[in-house]
């Protein structure tokens, strides 16, 4: 299985916004985080959680095909 996610990233001096768009379903979600190059556990968790939520949906879809 291969899927695509599109990212749109906006940033200023202290903030980053990322739109995560899944072209097949048309669904979009957004991650907002402070911009921090040294420590960024909130950002890491938000990105990881977002990707795993898509993986979970796709795994359910794949299981339903079998």
């Amino acid at each position: 299985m291969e899927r695509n996610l599109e990212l749109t990233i906006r940033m200023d001096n202290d903030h980053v916004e990322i739109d995560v768009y899944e072209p097949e379903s048309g669904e979009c979600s957004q991650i907002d985080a402070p911009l921090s190059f040294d420590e960024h556990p909130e950002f890491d968790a938000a990105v990881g959680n977002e990707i795993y939520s898509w993986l979970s949906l796709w795994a359910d879809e794949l299981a339903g095909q079998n």
Side-chain angles (χ1 to χ4, degrees):
M1 169 182 268
E2 180 176 310
R3 299 287 188 195
N4 293 301
L5 293 174
E6 296 178 10
L7 303 179
T8 301
I9 302 170
R10 292 176 297 281
M11 63 182 264
D12 58 25
N13 290 334
D14 60 351
H15 183 256
V16 62
E17 292 179 357
I18 301 172
D19 294 335
V20 181
Y21 175 71
E22 203 265 341
E24 188 172 316
S25 68
E27 294 202 29
C28 186
S29 61
Q30 189 175 72
I31 298 170
D32 294 305
L35 191 58
S36 172
F37 296 105
D38 296 326
E39 299 282 329
H40 41 76
E42 307 90 9
F43 179 80
D44 293 348
V47 171
N49 289 338
E50 182 64 28
I51 290 174
Y52 264 97
S53 72
W54 287 107
L55 292 172
S56 177
L57 290 171
W58 296 333
D60 290 346
E61 180 183 318
L62 189 59
Q65 293 175 359
N66 295 329

